[in-house]
Amino acid sequence: MFKPAEQGHRVSDSVFRRSEPELRTALLEEQYTILKQSRFPVIVVIGGVDGAGKGDTVNLLTKWMDPRHIHTHAFGRATPEEREHPPMWRFWRTLPAKGRIGIYFDSWYTEPILEHALGGSGDKSLQQSIERIFRFEQMMADEGALIVKFWFHLSRKSQKKRFKALERDPLTCWRVSGSDWKHHKHYKPLRDASARVLRATSTPFAPWFVIEGVDSNYRHLMTARLLLQAMRDRLADGAASGTRRAIPPRTRAAVRDSPLATLDLNKDLARDSYRVELAKQQGALNLLSRDPRFRGRGAVAVFEGVDAAGKGGAIRRITEALDARFYQVVPISEPGTEALAHPYLWRFWRHIPRPGRFTIFDRSWYGRVLVERVEGHASPFDWSRAYGEINNFEQELAEGGLIVMKFWLAIGKQQQLARFRARQTTPYKRYKITRDDWRNRAKWDDYQAAAADMLVRTSTAAAPWTVVEANDKYFARIKVLKNLCERIEAAL
């Protein structure tokens, strides 16, 4: 794969100087056009062998363009805090907003390659990393991101020569480290692992460009020209993403196949029994949250349901049992300007808990397949692909050690009406009822159909849904607490 990048191409200084002004101007113009339109972000991945000029090339790009709108991220080995989260967490949080450029040194490719070549991880582990990367980049592309990946290559002989030259110069000797020579010693396994990963992850929506790294003039011009062409091509494309395609919505027949079709909403619990069970279940939850084994896990609890289903009341009964230092409740409302400039999962990625902690989402990423679907804020393509993206996201949370628990609180249409009216007539509850609640109620059947689809398509072994009969609030709260305790105890 790397043979064509070992041809010894060179560009003279005079040719480089003649090419620079026009190329710099064009890059800057395209950068400002992207910034002004703010239709998509640009993600530039810089990888390659040690000594091939990655740092020099990034410095050139930030010099030729406006660095105020470029965020450069250099990732090494994961820190202890980063290892407490899913593998992609540290990259999720740094993605550029629409109109901005993010440059990533090595990025999500570094550790899988190093672990396979030097750490002894097997083929299965590497394949899992490749699949994770593929899903991540596919989602970024579907969200509209322009992804351009450069791999700078040197032959083993050229790499050694480069290291020797840097070491001879007192001003550059610091650039060659012990790990550089270690990697040089293991050049072949690193090259083979890199070639396998690049072949598997060079896609139409996120292509790799392998560039010879011996001559800096050649490397700089090739990188700049390829990036410029990629930006021009995307700007000429009227769509936000070249991978978009029409996906028809599912029919309402799915409601008959969902757990909603067989619910007994008349289940209830007497007040006296509720008080006894509440104390019992809250005590059990408190003990589980302080169990030494829980310190290495952590939990995510998601609450969804129609308006007035009792999500807030159920959440309060959970938090009463927990230490306030180790949980957070994240209420989700309509996304703001910053959230809309990023992938829809971005605002949730930032709240993933560390081990030993709870994060409770009062509404969640399921808004993409519920309110955004019903209200037309997401296209059929966008909400249809979200089922798989959400399943992948929750699978990564589970693989990272988190216990993922999801609750759909279900009430009848008449029960909702009764609660709406009670909120209107009770002074301290009036803040709970809004025009949006009445508007959503008018689309009851559409929301039920969307919920049925969601429950069927996103209840997985790693993150199953619990459907809660919530006409009676006492029954619903106890069922939620019992399920939380059972899931955590089973996981521990």
Side-chain angles (χ1 to χ4, degrees):
M1 180 174 187
F2 297 125
K3 283 295 183 183
E6 297 179 2
Q7 301 301 312
H9 293 101
R10 296 189 178 277
V11 173
S12 67
D13 290 342
S14 60
V15 170
F16 182 83
R17 285 193 298 269
R18 286 197 303 270
S19 304
E20 180 180 356
E22 181 179 356
L23 194 51
R24 290 184 66 168
T25 302
L27 277 171
L28 196 59
E29 288 176 350
E30 299 307 304
Q31 180 191 12
Y32 274 114
T33 301
I34 290 171
L35 180 64
K36 181 179 180 180
Q37 294 185 3
S38 291
R39 286 195 294 121
F40 58 87
V42 180
I43 297 173
V44 181
V45 176
I46 304 292
V49 303
D50 297 326
K54 299 187 288 289
D56 288 345
T57 305
V58 170
N59 288 339
L60 183 88
L61 291 177
T62 55
K63 176 183 176 183
W64 283 7
M65 293 188 284
D66 189 336
R68 295 174 299 174
H69 309 298
I70 299 175
H71 297 284
T72 302
H73 306 277
F75 291 96
R77 295 280 184 156
T79 66
E81 180 187 6
E82 289 168 345
R83 290 192 180 280
E84 290 180 336
H85 291 86
M88 299 302 294
W89 177 78
R90 59 180 178 154
F91 308 117
W92 289 338
R93 303 193 312 153
T94 64
L95 292 172
K98 293 177 181 177
R100 302 300 198 274
I101 298 174
I103 299 180
Y104 291 82
F105 274 103
D106 301 319
S107 70
W108 36 93
Y109 288 94
T110 306
E111 287 206 22
I113 291 173
L114 291 177
E115 287 295 329
H116 185 70
L118 306 180
S121 69
D123 288 346
K124 182 178 179 180
S125 177
L126 182 61
Q127 186 59 36
Q128 288 174 339
S129 296
I130 290 172
E131 291 171 359
R132 183 186 302 117
I133 289 169
F134 181 90
R135 293 193 301 265
F136 171 66
E137 293 182 347
Q138 174 75 71
M139 185 180 71
M140 291 300 97
D142 285 340
E143 285 287 302
L146 169 61
I147 307 172
V148 189
K149 302 181 296 192
F150 298 102
W151 186 271
F152 300 141
H153 182 69
L154 291 174
S155 67
R156 192 172 191 273
K157 180 180 179 181
S158 296
Q159 184 185 54
K160 183 177 182 180
K161 183 178 180 181
R162 170 75 168 162
F163 286 170
K164 291 289 188 181
L166 290 171
E167 285 186 328
R168 283 195 299 269
D169 188 339
L171 298 178
T172 60
C173 60
W174 59 272
R175 296 174 61 180
V176 183
S177 66
S179 65
D180 292 329
W181 282 113
K182 177 184 176 182
H183 293 168
H184 177 73
K185 182 179 178 181
H186 296 89
Y187 180 90
K188 187 178 186 302
L190 282 167
R191 181 198 62 194
D192 294 345
S194 300
R196 176 177 172 181
V197 171
L198 266 62
R199 278 194 297 266
T201 59
S202 190
T203 60
F205 54 82
W208 277 107
F209 296 102
V210 179
I211 298 174
E212 183 182 349
V214 173
D215 182 69
S216 61
N217 289 341
Y218 173 80
R219 181 179 69 246
H220 291 160
L221 289 182
M222 284 295 295
T223 303
R225 286 169 177 166
L226 288 167
L227 178 59
L228 175 63
Q229 189 60 51
M231 293 194 295
R232 283 176 169 171
D233 289 346
R234 172 55 60 85
L235 286 169
D237 182 3
S241 169
T243 66
R244 291 189 178 275
R245 57 194 182 277
I247 297 181
R250 286 165 61 103
T251 67
R252 289 184 182 176
V255 176
R256 297 195 297 269
D257 304 323
S258 79
L260 298 179
T262 57
L263 278 184
D264 179 7
L265 295 177
N266 294 318
K267 291 182 178 181
D268 59 9
L269 186 65
R271 185 181 181 87
D272 290 343
S273 298
Y274 166 71
R275 287 176 174 174
V276 172
E277 278 296 312
L278 181 64
K280 177 182 175 182
Q281 297 302 328
Q282 286 182 330
L285 180 59
N286 180 270
L287 289 175
L288 287 167
S289 70
R290 292 188 288 111
D291 190 305
R293 293 171 296 174
F294 185 72
R295 295 173 190 166
R297 298 301 303 268
V300 170
V302 172
F303 284 84
E304 292 285 358
V306 298
D307 299 321
K311 297 181 292 295
I315 290 171
R316 281 195 296 276
R317 273 62 188 185
I318 295 172
T319 57
E320 287 171 358
L322 301 175
D323 188 328
R325 296 172 296 175
F326 302 112
Y327 77 81
Q328 67 168 333
V329 177
V330 183
I332 299 301
S333 57
E334 185 178 352
T337 302
E338 185 180 18
L340 290 173
H342 290 86
Y344 73 97
L345 286 174
W346 174 82
R347 59 177 174 154
F348 308 107
W349 288 332
R350 301 191 302 165
H351 295 292
I352 300 306
R354 298 173 64 181
R357 299 173 184 269
F358 268 82
T359 295
I360 301 170
F361 289 93
D362 184 354
R363 299 199 184 277
S364 67
W365 40 92
Y366 284 97
R368 174 54 61 102
V369 297
L370 291 171
V371 64
E372 292 186 36
R373 165 182 169 172
V374 174
E375 301 299 333
H377 299 319
S379 69
F381 171 79
D382 287 329
W383 62 255
S384 293
R385 66 179 169 86
Y387 297 113
E389 293 167 355
I390 288 170
N391 287 340
N392 292 332
F393 169 51
E394 292 174 348
Q395 179 67 39
E396 289 196 39
L397 297 184
E399 290 174 354
L402 293 172
I403 307 165
V404 183
M405 298 164 284
K406 305 182 300 192
F407 299 93
W408 176 264
L409 274 61
I411 60 175
K413 192 173 183 180
Q414 291 306 309
Q415 180 64 27
Q416 185 192 58
L417 179 60
R419 291 183 183 179
F420 277 11
R421 288 173 173 169
R423 289 179 175 184
Q424 283 185 318
T425 57
T426 305
Y428 62 85
K429 290 185 177 181
R430 284 177 186 162
Y431 76 94
K432 292 184 176 183
I433 188 76
T434 68
R435 291 181 180 178
D436 286 342
D437 294 329
W438 288 107
R439 183 176 54 79
N440 294 344
R441 177 174 167 77
K443 299 181 179 180
W444 176 275
D445 292 341
D446 293 327
Y447 275 100
Q448 291 295 300
D453 251 358
M454 176 195 75
L455 293 170
V456 169
R457 300 177 70 178
T458 61
S459 192
T460 62
W465 277 103
T466 298
V467 180
V468 180
E469 303 86 341
N471 266 7
D472 182 80
K473 293 182 179 180
Y474 294 157
F475 178 87
R477 292 166 186 171
I478 297 305
K479 181 170 181 176
V480 167
L481 284 166
K482 280 185 175 179
N483 184 270
L484 275 173
C485 292
E486 289 169 0
R487 288 288 313 283
I488 295 172
E489 189 170 11
L492 299 185

